[in-house]
Amino acid sequence: MNIDKIDKFLKMKSSLNVSGLEKEAGIKGRALSIALSDKKDLSEKNWQKLLPILNNYGFGNLPNKAKIISIVNNKGGVGKTTTTAVLGEAMARRGLKVLMVDMDSQGNLSQIFEVSTENGQVADSMLDIDLLLNQVEVNENLYIVPSDLKLQKIESELLTAISNQHRLSAALNITLIENYDFVLIDCPPSLGLLTQNAINASHSCLVTVQPESSAVVGLDTIFKVISDIGKYSGRNVAVEGILFTMVEKNMVHDGFKKFVRDTYANVKVFKTEIKKNVDVSKAQAMKEQLFNFKSKSVVAIAYDELIDEILN
Ligand SMILES: Nc1ncnc2c1ncn2[C@@H]1O[C@H](COP(=O)(O)OP(=O)(O)OP(=O)(O)O)[C@@H](O)[C@H]1O
Ligand SMILES: [Mg+2]
């Protein structure tokens, strides 16, 4: 039904208003607002008038199937888990249905959302393809498949297993991921088998980078791994972009940001930057979702703005 998709799009693009769109498209008699409140499709004539206008605002970029994005960096502590959690929250608040996958045996993402692994976790479905991923609802539109140390234990078991780089992809394929708009995979701080499983399952990778020397050094390797996984699996895995995290206003950070932009001129670097702000650690310490803790936090607002860059 086209009206459901329009409804979702308008929730995401809060700056658009219905009467403005009706005017721009030349639709008379409040047909769009009536169709939205009655949950009935627009007539073919009105739909044809409206579609090009909606496309000008990025309607065509709405994923039809879940878009799967891995949040990657083999450097530890550079905001991968925070990005997965807060971007997930922000997307869900815009009406997008999101599945977060905890691919890290540290289980930080699962801990932030206080999700128990008792009824199943990523490791179970990776070992047994017939086991559906345990999708736990943590907020409206927001789901997580949890993990704990068991994931580390099965990594060695997987070393000799058949199709050991494609286990997560297979698990996602039998799960009804078409129900979701986005799947966000929180990777561990390594480029080993678990991260390779995540990238193999993904359409793209978002690389979080704290603009400091040690975090910038490994970027070549990360891009090579992403490109090699694409090559060897016969498909393209895109780099969604580099996201600067925990950014501080000082010359060191400014210098490293410039270095990254200059060195990786052919890679998208998101305009949105995530500032270092104490709201993040406070919310995580209190086991609260950042938007519930402080919806006007600069970090919450920045992750919300990042959605527009991902969708456009
Ligand atoms: N924007 C931010 N402002 C302040 N603190 C932040 C921010 N983003 C993350 N942090 C804090 O920095 C620490 C590391 O962040 P996070 O756990 O997201 O990194 P990670 O890359 O997932 O780490 P790991 O590689 O260990 O999985 C956490 O304590 C988190 O609370
Ligand atoms: Mg993490």
Side-chain angles (χ1 to χ4, degrees):
M1 290 230 306
N2 60 33
I3 203 66
D4 291 337
K5 203 169 166 191
I6 297 172
D7 192 28
K8 174 175 268 177
F9 183 68
L10 293 177
K11 280 191 192 132
M12 280 166 36
K13 296 258 171 181
S14 44
S15 57
L16 293 177
N17 75 63
V18 175
S19 60
L21 286 170
E22 285 170 338
K23 230 182 248 164
E24 218 178 313
I27 291 177
K28 298 206 175 70
R30 298 182 59 245
L32 177 57
S33 35
I34 292 168
L36 284 164
S37 62
D38 291 355
K39 299 211 171 303
K40 288 221 176 87
D41 271 348
L42 282 171
S43 70
E44 188 56 29
K45 194 172 121 206
N46 281 335
W47 173 237
Q48 289 309 331
K49 284 183 184 170
L50 184 65
L51 187 58
I53 306 297
L54 288 176
N55 281 341
N56 287 342
Y57 295 108
F59 182 72
N61 299 331
L62 250 191
N64 282 326
K65 253 181 86 182
K67 178 166 182 180
I68 308 178
I69 305 178
S70 277
I71 320 298
V72 185
N73 195 326
N74 54 325
K75 170 92 172 65
V78 291
K80 295 180 288 292
T81 301
T82 303
T83 296
T84 310
V86 187
L87 182 60
E89 288 171 40
M91 285 176 159
R93 285 170 62 92
R94 288 220 205 173
L96 294 161
K97 196 167 171 186
V98 180
L99 177 66
M100 302 175 292
V101 179
D102 190 348
M103 271 305 264
D104 187 354
S105 62
Q106 298 180 92
N108 293 149
L109 187 70
S110 312
Q111 289 148 17
I112 288 175
F113 290 95
E114 287 196 290
V115 174
S116 137
T117 48
E118 218 170 277
N119 296 318
Q121 55 170 291
V122 175
D124 299 322
S125 306
M126 286 183 75
L127 282 183
D128 181 353
I129 176 73
D130 293 325
L131 279 182
L132 278 188
L133 288 163
N134 176 28
Q135 302 146 77
V136 183
E137 186 174 7
V138 289
N139 212 337
E140 192 182 352
N141 292 321
L142 189 60
Y143 296 75
I144 176 173
V145 194
S147 279
D148 64 19
L149 266 177
K150 184 173 182 185
L151 192 59
Q152 190 186 353
K153 293 192 188 124
I154 71 144
E155 207 179 345
S156 51
E157 218 171 301
L158 283 177
L159 282 177
T160 51
I162 291 167
S163 287
N164 62 2
Q165 294 207 345
H166 300 273
R167 293 281 173 128
L168 181 66
S169 170
L172 282 169
N173 278 338
I174 62 156
T175 308
L176 289 175
I177 55 164
E178 59 264 35
N179 288 339
Y180 293 97
D181 297 301
F182 283 93
V183 178
L184 304 177
I185 308 176
D186 180 27
C187 290
S190 104
L191 293 171
L193 191 53
L194 294 173
T195 296
Q196 289 172 28
N197 261 276
I199 298 175
N200 256 317
S202 297
H203 298 108
S204 65
C205 296
L206 186 158
V207 183
T208 58
V209 175
Q210 191 178 6
E212 291 182 359
S213 59
S214 57
V216 165
V217 166
L219 285 176
D220 280 340
T221 315
I222 298 171
F223 293 134
K224 172 130 181 28
V225 167
I226 297 170
S227 132
D228 280 356
I229 288 179
K231 269 189 216 156
Y232 288 108
S233 62
R235 66 195 185 93
N236 181 41
V237 183
V239 176
E240 192 68 43
I242 293 175
L243 175 68
F244 290 125
T245 57
M246 291 182 256
V247 174
E248 292 171 78
K249 187 93 211 82
N250 61 43
M251 278 168 63
V252 175
H253 276 214
D254 287 352
F256 275 110
K257 284 191 293 186
K258 183 172 182 331
F259 171 80
V260 169
R261 285 182 199 278
D262 291 348
T263 313
Y264 302 99
N266 55 349
V267 177
K268 175 172 176 173
V269 179
F270 290 112
K271 285 199 193 82
T272 306
E273 292 176 1
I274 311 299
K275 294 203 164 59
K276 184 166 188 170
N277 188 283
V278 73
D279 292 340
V280 174
S281 29
K282 276 189 187 165
Q284 288 177 1
M286 291 171 71
K287 307 269 181 222
E288 277 199 54
Q289 295 181 28
L290 184 60
F291 279 88
N292 294 344
F293 177 74
K294 192 172 172 187
S295 62
K296 294 281 181 279
S297 163
V298 286
V299 174
I301 291 168
Y303 278 109
D304 184 61
E305 288 170 357
L306 181 64
I307 300 174
D308 293 322
E309 285 197 69
I310 290 174
L311 287 172
N312 286 333

